[in-house]
Amino acid sequence: MGISNIWVFSQESNGTATSGTLELLTHARTLSGGVTAFVGGDASAIAGILGEYGATKVYATGDLGGALPGAAVASAMKAVIDGGDSPDLILFPQNYEGRDVMSRLSVKVDRTVLTNNVAVAVDGDTVTVTTPVFGGNTLVSTSFSGSAPYLASFRPKSFAAESASGAEAEVVAAPVPDLGSTGGATVTAVHVEESTGPKLDEADVVVSGGRGLGESDKFSMVDDLAKILNGAAGASRAIVDAGWVPYSMQVGQTGKVVKPNVYIAAGISGATQHMVGMKGAKNIIAINKDAEAPIFGVADLGIIGDVHKVLPKLIEALEGRG
Amino acid sequence: MKVVVCVKQIPDPADPGALDPESKTLVRDAKLILDESDSYGVEMALQLVDAAGEGEVHLVSMAPNNETAGLRTALAMGAASATLISDEALKGSDALGTAKVLAAAIARQEPDLVLAATESSDGYTGTVPEQVAALMDLPSVTFAKSVAVDGGAAKVQRQTEAGYDEVTCPLPALVSVTAGVVEPRYPSFKGIMAAKSKPVETVTAADLGVTSVGWEGSGQTVASVEQAPAREAGTIIEDDGESFGKIVEYLETIKVI
């Protein structure tokens, strides 16, 4: 037996496969020879790159026509499974769409889901996934029991993406069946928030601000520092909840997980939910007034001080270097 | 309009959590409080019922030991009544098992709208709302940052990676809300007093007709629990007005500048 048929829920962004998709395909092919990409939408633009990264087959639902992917893609997956192509393991990216599809599918196949993972191991028929808890201090490994398919989702950057120089994958239509009452949600308008500079979860430098900034106007210091260092600006949940900055900037368990070369935390105390999102940074610099702040426990360089005093001087010094 | 809100009662996040060395699941025997993530759903529900001019907010929660402290907080905010599923047999339930129990309890209320947080603050599996929707054959909109009800449909602004989508969804439906969707009210003294006499029905899994729950129904077993490799201790200094120079130096060392 063993694990011979792995599916990867694959996503497109701006005409190419997302980095999360390529990471999962890369890892899937180390676990099994049979890797299938499942696309909720039209796959013609990405069949080439999906094949290059290891998919030997691509299922595509075709255009979803404004339906949210959760119920639609899960139903299409279930139809393929009922048709006889039954995966042993399905890997999902830990993001909005991945979570919705895996949740719906778990009910349809009556199997559990394991989320927020950073690793997966296969030993014979046993699949074990690992998730960090308590802000990443503890690693819990959980094995699936019962019969396949096993459903698991993985945080961004859990695996490194590497091309397998594979040929373009064959695309097989996996149409969405009639959804009945569950198909009612329809997207009527799409809004894209403008952002400049590198993307938060891909940036080499991330500067984040928290409640210690005192007021929303002071976030401009974080923006300025990020710009000078060619980095992205992030935020703690506290100031996102307070409405200072949009949710898309939130770093943490319920926001983005970042793994930059350097992470600068300004006025962030380091709540567990925040640490989950940034502990993977190679270097961490923290500035906080409170010497007891948990963020200092993970900082490579910690400054016990007032961000309102330290940041302006730091910005000035860096600007002075041209 | 009847709105059911899923609420979770969790250990106070201010207390560091622990895993039971035997069962390797989260220890939940300390006093439980209302998960802050759920206070947004409760507030949203109260505002939607207000806007509709009629209806009520009902809470559904699954917790051990007949725990109601967190439910009372939500009742004090203004919810009318609650169902508590408390059952030794539910110990060890996975997310799908939890969703089955919640879905059965919610269905009995015949709601127009079901609200839930996107994920809990302690377990944060983040799949239960969508699983509940699937079990109840409801359409759903997840990750809402704004919710209104108009002409028998929910109008939702849904977070996306790039910004947000406007989504319309006919009722009955389930919507999961992000933190920050509304500002939760603080319970008033009057609300706290009134909450003490509001009806809380306690039921078991068997009452709901849900079988194969708890450890037995769980599709997962914890294989190991290990400490993550700790980061090496860094340099912590007190700002003397010149500490920005240390940051510049550090950035030079790692070749960021």
Side-chain angles (χ1 to χ4, degrees):
Chain A
M1 253 282 308
I3 301 299
S4 58
N5 184 1
I6 301 183
W7 288 6
V8 173
F9 175 54
S10 301
Q11 297 170 293
E12 182 202 312
S13 172
N14 298 323
T16 189
T18 60
S19 51
T21 299
L22 302 182
E23 290 159 17
L24 293 180
L25 285 173
T26 302
H27 195 68
R29 65 176 203 254
T30 69
L31 302 173
S32 163
V35 177
T36 295
F38 204 110
V39 178
D42 178 54
S44 51
I46 57 172
I49 192 164
L50 296 176
E52 186 193 329
Y53 278 77
T56 51
K57 194 197 307 186
V58 176
Y59 284 115
T61 60
D63 186 33
L64 294 178
L68 288 182
V73 178
S75 298
M77 284 181 166
K78 179 66 163 51
V80 173
I81 294 170
D82 288 345
D85 182 359
S86 192
D88 302 306
L89 173 64
I90 311 180
L91 310 179
F92 295 85
Q94 184 74 31
N95 57 26
Y96 302 126
E97 293 194 356
R99 237 158 72 159
D100 282 2
V101 173
M102 75 185 299
S103 306
R104 285 271 176 183
L105 185 64
S106 86
V107 170
K108 290 181 185 296
V109 297
D110 198 22
R111 293 288 178 277
T112 196
V113 288
L114 292 169
T115 61
N116 288 299
N117 297 294
V118 295
V120 54
V122 173
D123 180 11
D125 289 343
T126 306
V127 175
T128 304
V129 291
T130 301
T131 182
V133 299
F134 303 141
N137 294 329
T138 307
L139 296 171
V140 178
S141 295
T142 308
S143 301
F144 289 95
S145 50
S147 54
Y150 303 134
L151 280 51
S153 66
F154 296 85
R155 291 189 182 157
K157 299 195 179 177
S158 294
F159 313 106
E162 230 171 89
S163 167
S165 308
E168 174 155 345
E170 170 204 7
V171 179
V172 179
V176 177
D178 179 24
L179 298 176
S181 60
T182 62
T186 314
V187 177
T188 56
V190 174
H191 297 261
V192 175
E193 279 160 7
E194 291 294 327
S195 64
T196 53
K199 281 169 87 176
L200 180 55
D201 45 3
E202 290 168 9
D204 218 31
V205 176
V206 174
V207 184
S208 285
R211 188 78 87 178
L213 291 167
E215 50 187 310
S216 65
D217 290 354
K218 301 289 186 214
F219 193 79
S220 61
M221 295 192 296
V222 171
D223 266 333
D224 291 347
L225 183 56
K227 224 165 269 165
I228 293 169
L229 296 171
N230 289 319
S236 72
R237 175 169 156 180
I239 70 168
V240 172
D241 285 359
W244 294 6
V245 294
Y247 173 75
S248 54
M249 293 173 76
Q250 184 174 319
V251 172
Q253 172 191 306
T254 45
K256 299 234 159 55
V257 175
V258 300
K259 273 191 176 179
N261 181 19
V262 60
Y263 187 86
I264 303 177
I268 292 176
S269 63
T272 298
Q273 103 92 31
H274 185 75
M275 302 268 238
V276 171
M278 45 65 74
K279 246 185 107 176
K282 217 162 157 198
N283 299 283
I284 297 173
I285 300 173
I287 309 160
N288 201 297
K289 264 203 298 212
D290 176 10
E292 302 294 313
I295 192 83
F296 288 127
V298 299
D300 299 291
L301 175 63
I303 308 288
I304 303 167
D306 187 347
V307 286
H308 303 98
K309 292 187 179 141
V310 179
L311 281 186
K313 284 185 183 165
L314 177 60
I315 290 167
E316 201 189 319
L318 292 171
E319 275 175 338
R321 300 164 62 97
Chain B
M1 184 171 64
K2 182 153 195 180
V3 184
V4 167
V5 187
C6 301
V7 297
K8 191 167 179 183
Q9 305 175 84
I10 63 168
D12 191 336
D15 285 337
L19 291 178
D20 182 285
E22 281 290 305
S23 68
K24 292 172 182 149
T25 54
L26 279 171
V27 174
R28 293 200 170 97
D29 55 3
K31 183 180 174 321
L32 302 183
I33 62 167
L34 176 67
D35 186 342
E36 193 207 340
S37 304
D38 290 324
S39 61
Y40 300 95
V42 174
E43 179 64 40
M44 190 75 248
L46 292 169
Q47 289 189 15
L48 289 173
V49 165
D50 256 1
E54 51 81 34
E56 64 171 35
V57 177
H58 183 85
L59 311 168
V60 170
S61 184
M62 170 171 146
N65 310 326
N66 295 319
E67 180 65 62
T68 59
L71 278 177
R72 293 289 171 202
T73 303
L75 291 168
M77 287 172 71
S81 55
T83 304
L84 172 70
I85 310 110
S86 196
D87 190 340
E88 270 297 299
L90 292 172
K91 245 186 175 172
S93 294
D94 59 14
L96 182 56
T98 303
K100 286 177 181 174
V101 171
L102 291 175
I106 295 165
R108 298 201 310 171
Q109 300 297 325
E110 298 180 4
D112 300 297
L113 178 65
V114 183
L115 294 181
T118 55
E119 62 188 21
S120 65
S121 303
D122 63 341
Y124 60 90
T125 308
T127 59
V128 169
E130 189 73 353
Q131 287 171 322
V132 166
L135 288 159
M136 295 180 68
D137 266 332
L138 291 178
S140 58
V141 187
T142 48
F143 306 101
K145 65 169 201 159
S146 149
V147 187
V149 170
D150 182 23
K155 313 271 179 184
V156 178
Q157 292 185 354
R158 177 181 188 265
Q159 300 276 8
T160 62
E161 307 292 333
Y164 68 94
D165 288 349
E166 286 176 41
V167 181
T168 300
C169 185
L171 300 181
L174 178 142
V175 175
S176 77
V177 298
T178 56
V181 66
V182 280
E183 189 61 41
R185 70 193 69 184
Y186 286 104
S188 64
F189 179 71
K190 210 175 130 196
I192 294 167
M193 294 314 287
K196 290 182 177 172
S197 56
K198 285 181 174 172
V200 176
E201 184 195 7
T202 303
V203 297
T204 64
D207 292 339
L208 297 170
V210 183
T211 54
S212 188
V213 291
W215 296 115
E216 182 199 331
S218 173
Q220 63 198 57
T221 46
V222 175
S224 72
V225 176
E226 284 167 32
Q227 286 304 303
R231 288 185 82 98
E232 276 181 44
T235 311
I236 311 292
I237 55 169
E238 194 111 22
D239 180 39
D240 55 0
E242 300 297 324
S243 66
F244 69 91
K246 295 281 182 209
I247 300 180
V248 174
E249 260 172 48
Y250 190 89
L251 293 174
E252 279 173 342
T253 318
I254 59 172
K255 299 193 170 66
V256 166
I257 52 172

